[in-house]
Amino acid sequence: MPRSVAIEHVRNIGIMAHIDAGKTTTTERILFYTGVLHRMGEVHEGTAFMDYMDQEKERGITITSAATTCTWRDTTINIIDTPGHVDFTAEVQRSLRVLDGAIALYCAVAGVEPQSETVWHQASQYHVPRIAFVNKMDRVGANFDRVLAMMRDRLGARPVALQVPYGAEDTFRGVIDLVDEVCYLYTSDDGLSFDVVAIPEDAVEYAAKMRMALVEAVAETDDALLERYLTGDSISPEELRTGIRSGTIHLKFTPVLCGSSFKNKGVQQLLDAVVAYLPSPRDVGHVHGFDVKQPDRDITRAPDDDQPFAALAFKILSDPFVGRLTFLRVYSGTLKAGEQITNVTNDKKERAGKILRMHANRREEIEAAYAGDIVAIPAMRFTRTGDTLCDAKAPILLEPIQFAAPVINQSIEAKTLADQDKLAESLHRLSEEDPTFRFHIDTESGQTIISGVGELHLEILVDRLKREFNVPVKVGKPQVAYRETVSASAQHHGEFVRSAGAKSQFAKVVIEVMPGERGSGLQVDVKNYSGALPSQYLASIEQGAREALNVGPLAGYPMIDVMAVLREAEYNEEDATEMAYAIAASIATKDAVRQASPVIMEPIFRVEVVTPEEYVGEVIADLSSRYGRIEGIATRDILQVVTAAVPLSQLFGYVTQLRSLTQGRGSYTMVFSHYEPAVGRR
């Protein structure tokens, strides 16, 4: 069966922003205007189509990224609505990994907020073209120009306005299109009716100034247009659109639109911009991967239906009706229902019994998936997030997705003995869904320990255990995920000599350990060893040293940012064994670590507190009492923004204290920054 829509008319986009910027509300309007919904849901009422989880409806926030599909002007738009809370950043990251474009949403009052920065840089990491939408232009304090300035200052972006608002706050009536030089005045509450009129006289001067900036930005991306611009020739709207599309796709600048999703203004024009300026899978071009047998050899796949099939699994979801769902982004080829494919990441066979197109938590069964599609397949047994699925005859390994490590732990246990096995199975299913959630059994206490990236993250997971998996549990207080490292260099020898009957085993090595760069993890260097030692023994030394570095000497926490280097190794051809060298390396590494001034490291979070000016003193004093370092104080309209680096151990329950200090008027966000030595506070 041939595809119904040409790949040039497909858009795979995500909507990303800080919490409460209006992502889900905007998605609701998009689905309404494209005919998917016949009634607009509201986040604050718990009726939003995309927020289908009970926890999302109760809290009014997005927790898991939800996918849906709609059609606008003969173009199929696959949309992923992503969370805005920092604890669920992994949902944004894995979505951006497989998307071709994104809408970056900003509140016209708050502008560029901390999580907006995080997701912007994630999108830059994956080279995702973006258009920006300044939402909430009807709110008190809305300022379009300030948001543009914040995008330049905080993001290092080059925003180029395609629209400017006509009015602001309670006088916001519509948007002025700088490309066609017209004004859209909205005449109905649902946004379906609007008049297209000439630019009002009181906005002509401002619109002309902003259009000149737009034409200049577009002209700079094309030599022919630049020459015409410099000679004073006019540039037609069609030429502008072509230049805007090229500049957006090649990340030369970011087009900016505006509106108010809640008041149903500007969303249709945003849809027009998605179709006109964001790339299709064909515009993005070939996907790059690696040869399974020769990892150093690059392979590419063109986004064509007749190419060998290749797809990336980017999300696992437990569906109460169809069981385990695996979300795929198809990069090349065609997958028909019932076909067998290969998971090259773990060398397993999988079968696509059914292929589903998802509409949030609703499912539509389809016969085939084509290049550029985002689909879900139920009952895949071996596939995990980041795995590559492809045609067995043409294997390719796509780049996996890297996620942040958990920084907070909590003990958990089933309330009854009968639920213990069920708890273990449920935790396993949750860890398959969420790559930033992990669990293990503490060998000393026998307790089950769950790990996540924040308090809300673990709170939601525990709530899901009770509701979705019907496992009542008891949880302990949150604990910080400490780490250990070394603060000096030291080297030590390790030897292993054993005689068992006629066979002797001998190995002797000298290992030096030293501090690594921040974020470098654990590194073992045996490749640069200049002595003569067979490669299998070098591999054993590396394995032994790595195992020794897994557990720190002070309190048994995992180690980070340590480098171990092989300095010497004695070799006896008759008695050398791989096990002997692994044990000798482990002994040498452990002893060297003990002598290298080991220290305990704690996670430091970057905290941004927004508070009225009269409470700034109390906020700073409280952060200082929590061993926080004040990094800056800035003004945002009538509010003050205090930025600080604070140990996670001091932030448990901070939201209650902040509300008390500011009479409920203050708010804060926190983002993991780095690890640093814990000085007498653990």
Side-chain angles (χ1 to χ4, degrees):
M1 175 182 144
R3 63 188 306 152
S4 56
V5 177
I7 194 169
E8 290 82 5
H9 295 288
V10 173
R11 302 287 183 272
N12 292 316
I13 67 166
I15 301 183
M16 60 183 199
H18 189 85
I19 191 170
D20 203 33
K23 297 179 300 300
T24 302
T25 301
T26 302
T27 308
E28 291 292 309
R29 272 51 182 179
I30 288 174
L31 296 179
F32 175 74
Y33 295 130
T34 55
V36 174
L37 298 181
H38 300 292
R39 178 183 177 275
M40 289 180 273
E42 303 295 352
V43 174
H44 61 278
E45 295 175 358
T47 57
F49 175 70
M50 300 297 280
D51 284 349
Y52 58 85
M53 293 174 63
D54 291 337
Q55 295 87 347
E56 293 176 319
K57 294 176 181 178
E58 291 170 1
R59 290 170 170 82
I61 63 172
T62 300
I63 292 170
T64 183
S65 53
T68 191
T69 299
C70 59
T71 301
W72 182 257
R73 303 202 187 286
D74 299 323
T75 298
T76 296
I77 305 175
N78 298 314
I79 303 173
I80 297 183
D81 176 31
T82 63
H85 196 284
V86 65
D87 283 13
F88 309 106
T89 302
E91 289 287 330
V92 188
Q93 188 171 352
R94 61 179 168 189
S95 299
L96 288 171
R97 170 66 178 82
V98 299
L99 291 172
D100 302 325
I103 300 171
L105 233 69
Y106 300 101
C107 172
V109 181
V112 178
E113 297 174 274
Q115 186 64 3
S116 301
E117 291 185 59
T118 302
V119 296
W120 181 272
H121 296 313
Q122 286 176 335
S124 297
Q125 176 188 346
Y126 293 121
H127 307 290
V128 177
R130 282 141 277 177
I131 57 178
F133 184 69
V134 180
N135 192 24
K136 303 189 179 184
M137 282 303 308
D138 61 308
R139 290 271 301 274
V140 175
N143 190 321
F144 181 76
D145 290 330
R146 187 187 62 231
V147 177
L148 296 183
M150 292 179 76
M151 288 180 67
R152 295 186 197 99
D153 296 341
R154 292 198 174 190
L155 305 176
R158 189 184 179 190
V160 175
L162 307 189
Q163 297 175 347
V164 293
Y166 180 51
E169 303 181 350
D170 58 347
T171 63
F172 177 63
R173 296 176 56 199
V175 295
I176 296 172
D177 187 317
L178 301 178
V179 177
D180 290 319
E181 296 184 275
V182 296
C183 180
Y184 295 96
L185 291 179
Y186 287 86
T187 56
S188 66
D189 290 339
D190 62 6
L192 288 172
S193 301
F194 53 83
D195 294 330
V196 182
V197 300
I199 298 175
E201 288 187 11
D202 57 344
V204 167
E205 185 178 340
Y206 175 59
K209 171 189 163 188
M210 297 299 283
R211 190 177 196 274
M212 184 176 293
L214 165 63
V215 173
E216 185 176 323
V218 172
E220 287 177 2
T221 66
D222 185 288
D223 291 342
L225 283 179
L226 182 60
E227 186 176 341
R228 289 178 53 196
Y229 170 72
L230 293 174
T231 56
D233 289 351
S234 62
I235 298 175
S236 70
E238 200 52 49
E239 289 173 316
L240 269 182
R241 289 190 186 89
T242 302
I244 293 167
R245 178 175 177 79
S246 174
T248 305
I249 291 174
H250 293 100
L251 305 177
K252 299 288 182 63
F253 52 72
T254 304
V256 184
L257 298 93
C258 60
S260 171
S261 297
F262 184 61
K263 294 295 178 66
N264 312 311
K265 295 175 182 176
V267 179
Q268 295 102 315
Q269 288 72 37
L270 176 62
L271 278 166
D272 289 340
V274 167
V275 172
Y277 306 127
L278 287 181
S280 71
R282 180 144 291 162
D283 294 317
V284 174
H286 292 60
V287 64
H288 292 264
F290 306 97
D291 190 317
V292 179
K293 296 179 180 177
Q294 303 176 48
D296 295 334
R297 178 171 167 258
D298 288 350
I299 306 177
T300 60
R301 287 276 192 278
D304 289 321
D305 300 338
D306 54 1
Q307 286 276 309
F309 173 75
L312 186 76
F314 68 95
K315 180 180 173 68
I316 307 296
L317 181 68
S318 293
D319 188 283
F321 300 102
V322 297
R324 191 173 184 272
L325 278 175
T326 303
F327 284 75
L328 300 182
R329 161 65 196 265
V330 181
Y331 284 100
S332 65
T334 303
L335 177 65
K336 296 178 181 176
E339 282 189 337
Q340 188 180 72
I341 49 180
T342 298
N343 183 330
V344 295
T345 306
N346 55 28
D347 195 23
K348 298 284 188 181
K349 301 290 185 187
E350 296 275 21
R351 184 171 296 279
K354 291 182 180 179
I355 302 175
L356 306 176
R357 178 171 284 128
M358 299 300 292
H359 301 281
N361 62 337
R362 301 178 190 170
R363 297 159 299 281
E364 173 193 351
E365 194 168 334
I366 57 178
E367 295 181 11
Y370 302 94
D373 283 353
I374 293 176
V375 296
I377 298 178
M380 281 193 158
R381 297 172 56 198
F382 307 109
T383 302
R384 304 286 181 268
T385 299
D387 287 359
T388 301
L389 294 149
C390 64
D391 187 335
K393 297 176 182 177
I396 183 174
L397 184 62
L398 302 176
E399 183 184 346
I401 312 171
Q402 303 296 329
F403 295 101
V407 295
I408 186 169
N409 299 333
Q410 202 169 14
S411 63
I412 188 169
E413 62 182 50
K415 284 189 175 180
T416 64
L417 287 172
D419 286 327
Q420 282 185 346
D421 291 341
K422 196 174 179 182
L423 173 63
E425 180 188 344
S426 301
L427 290 175
H428 180 70
R429 288 173 63 185
L430 286 174
S431 67
E432 286 183 341
E433 281 189 35
D434 187 346
T436 59
F437 169 69
R438 297 170 195 168
F439 71 99
H440 69 277
I441 307 295
D442 188 293
T443 53
E444 293 184 4
S445 65
Q447 287 183 308
T448 300
I449 306 296
I450 57 175
S451 305
V453 295
E455 283 185 272
L456 181 61
H457 184 210
L458 292 183
E459 181 187 326
I460 294 295
L461 288 167
V462 169
D463 195 40
R464 289 187 62 194
L465 282 172
K466 296 174 182 176
R467 296 195 194 193
E468 291 180 33
F469 298 94
N470 297 316
V471 182
V473 294
K474 294 184 289 185
V475 294
K477 290 183 178 179
Q479 301 291 323
V480 176
Y482 291 99
R483 298 289 185 265
E484 295 185 34
T485 192
V486 297
S487 57
S489 297
Q491 66 179 34
H492 207 278
H493 76 278
E495 64 177 57
F496 182 80
V497 182
R498 288 287 188 276
S499 296
K503 178 64 177 172
S504 296
Q505 296 190 71
F506 171 81
K508 187 173 182 180
V509 300
V510 175
I511 300 284
E512 181 180 4
V513 298
M514 62 193 74
E517 294 183 7
R518 179 185 288 179
S520 62
L522 301 178
Q523 298 173 285
V524 180
D525 182 8
V526 297
K527 294 180 180 178
N528 295 317
Y529 175 62
S530 58
L533 194 67
S535 59
Q536 69 266 31
Y537 301 131
L538 289 174
S540 297
I541 291 171
E542 181 176 358
Q543 178 188 348
R546 282 195 183 279
E547 289 177 355
L549 290 174
N550 282 335
V551 180
L554 297 177
Y557 295 121
M559 299 197 75
I560 58 170
D561 303 341
V562 180
M563 173 173 274
V565 182
L566 174 63
R567 295 301 185 196
E568 297 178 24
E570 292 188 18
Y571 176 55
N572 181 326
E573 186 175 357
E574 292 184 4
D575 298 333
T577 65
E578 294 179 24
M579 184 182 76
Y581 276 106
I583 294 173
S586 178
I587 293 169
T589 304
K590 286 181 179 178
D591 289 342
V593 166
R594 291 190 189 98
Q595 296 175 9
S597 303
V599 293
I600 290 179
M601 308 286 282
E602 65 180 345
I604 303 297
F605 274 65
R606 184 177 182 272
V607 178
E608 187 175 277
V609 181
V610 181
T611 176
E613 187 173 0
E614 57 263 37
Y615 304 114
V616 168
E618 290 91 337
V619 168
I620 290 175
D622 182 65
L623 289 172
S624 299
S625 72
R626 297 170 184 269
Y627 303 97
R629 294 190 306 274
I630 307 301
E631 296 182 338
I633 304 172
T635 300
R636 185 184 295 167
D637 287 338
I638 60 172
L639 299 174
Q640 298 292 311
V641 181
V642 180
T643 307
V646 189
L648 175 62
S649 59
Q650 306 299 311
L651 287 170
F652 294 131
Y654 179 59
V655 62
T656 304
Q657 177 67 6
L658 180 63
R659 286 171 182 162
S660 175
L661 289 172
T662 62
Q663 297 184 12
R665 296 169 65 190
S667 62
Y668 82 104
T669 55
M670 51 187 269
V671 181
F672 172 71
S673 176
H674 63 278
Y675 275 90
E676 65 180 42
V679 186
R681 293 194 297 273
R682 192 174 59 82

